[in-house]
Amino acid sequence: MLPPIPPGWRSLLNGETGKSYYRALNTFLEQELAGGQTILPARKDIFNALAVTSYEQVRVLLIGQDPYPTPGHAHGLCFSVQPAVRPLPSSLRNIFRELQDDIGCRIPNNGHLIPWARQGVLMLNTVLTVRAHRANSHQGRGWERFTDRIIELIAAKSMRVVFVLWGREAQKKRVLITQAHHTVVACAHPSPLSVRKFFGCRCFSHINRNLADAGMDPIDWQIPDI
């Protein structure tokens, strides 16, 4: 079921694929399919975040929870949706509103966040699959161990990485970030349940200031219209 690790990460993560937890995860996903369940995103997109942003490119890590459970939405990058999705998920609409208030980005007509990934923003869910229409249904099946390893690898980088932790679940990953040269931008989650605390966080300008302080180019956060 699980596709190969993308080339930009393969040498770092191939050791995980032979471990018992990873084999058990693969068996679980195959059983889901055999039982007639739809798994999201599509198999080819499960590792899409890693395929678009190589290890060497990563300078911002945005941590999400699990894929959108609505068929046709998820494509392997946290918070991002496929280009034709309308209306946008509420969390993504809130992200765009804060972007506009923070740094003046025009609200785009789509939620396809690939342009961020191509600039070194790794958009990583802690759980990389979900059963259709059942949010959080693949939690506790092994994905967390796999994505913790990815976070650890990024935290071992010698160059600064800005870790973006929205909400309590993402902020639990702070313990994996042990190097003093990295920075953490933490605030409330953009979901409707906590958005009042998310609005006004100015996290996007904060991210760019942290990159500039390390001599790196800022992220161009403007998503182009399609």
Side-chain angles (χ1 to χ4, degrees):
M1 162 65 193
L2 285 170
I5 304 294
W9 292 85
R10 193 167 296 158
S11 64
L12 296 165
L13 292 172
N14 262 354
E16 299 300 302
T17 62
K19 293 180 178 179
S20 59
Y21 84 88
Y22 194 91
R23 294 197 303 270
L25 169 62
N26 191 53
T27 297
F28 164 72
L29 295 173
E30 290 176 344
Q31 290 172 343
E32 287 274 89
L33 290 174
Q37 302 298 334
T38 298
I39 293 176
L40 304 175
R43 179 182 183 271
K44 66 180 180 61
D45 288 335
I46 290 175
F47 294 137
N48 203 20
L50 304 181
V52 179
T53 309
S54 70
Y55 178 74
E56 289 74 20
Q57 289 177 299
V58 177
R59 53 199 183 108
V60 177
L61 174 59
L62 174 57
I63 297 178
Q65 191 164 336
D66 68 339
Y68 294 116
T70 303
H73 282 203
H75 67 110
L77 281 68
C78 69
F79 297 105
S80 183
V81 293
Q82 299 195 56
V85 171
R86 307 287 189 283
L88 298 182
S90 54
S91 291
L92 189 50
R93 292 199 305 269
N94 293 334
I95 289 169
F96 285 154
R97 177 176 162 183
E98 178 60 24
L99 259 173
Q100 184 178 54
D101 292 344
D102 184 8
I103 56 178
C105 283
R106 171 184 41 79
I107 295 178
N109 67 357
N110 70 94
H112 196 57
L113 305 183
I114 286 285
W116 295 357
R118 289 178 177 150
Q119 297 177 74
V121 181
L122 179 63
M123 287 173 276
L124 181 72
N125 280 314
T126 56
V127 174
L128 299 186
T129 59
V130 69
R131 183 188 293 186
H133 309 294
R134 289 277 306 276
N136 305 321
S137 52
H138 287 181
Q139 286 188 343
R141 295 291 183 170
W143 276 127
E144 293 89 345
R145 183 169 171 182
F146 181 76
T147 54
D148 276 0
R149 180 58 184 150
I150 294 172
I151 297 170
E152 290 170 349
L153 288 166
I154 294 169
K157 293 185 69 153
S158 59
M159 61 173 279
R160 171 175 290 180
V161 176
V162 183
F163 292 80
V164 185
L165 311 180
W166 289 340
R168 292 179 183 175
E169 289 303 311
Q171 288 165 22
K172 291 177 182 177
K173 304 301 180 182
R174 190 189 287 262
V175 297
L176 302 175
I177 307 163
T178 56
Q179 299 273 17
H181 59 276
H182 298 314
T183 58
V184 174
V185 175
C187 62
H189 195 278
S191 77
L193 295 175
S194 55
V195 73
R196 285 182 294 177
K197 295 180 180 179
F198 176 76
F199 286 148
C201 68
R202 302 296 185 258
C203 54
F204 300 100
S205 56
H206 192 181
I207 293 165
N208 279 351
R209 281 196 302 274
N210 278 289
L211 292 172
D213 287 347
M216 288 183 272
D217 291 334
I219 302 298
D220 178 0
W221 295 106
Q222 181 65 65
I223 296 297
D225 286 340
I226 293 177

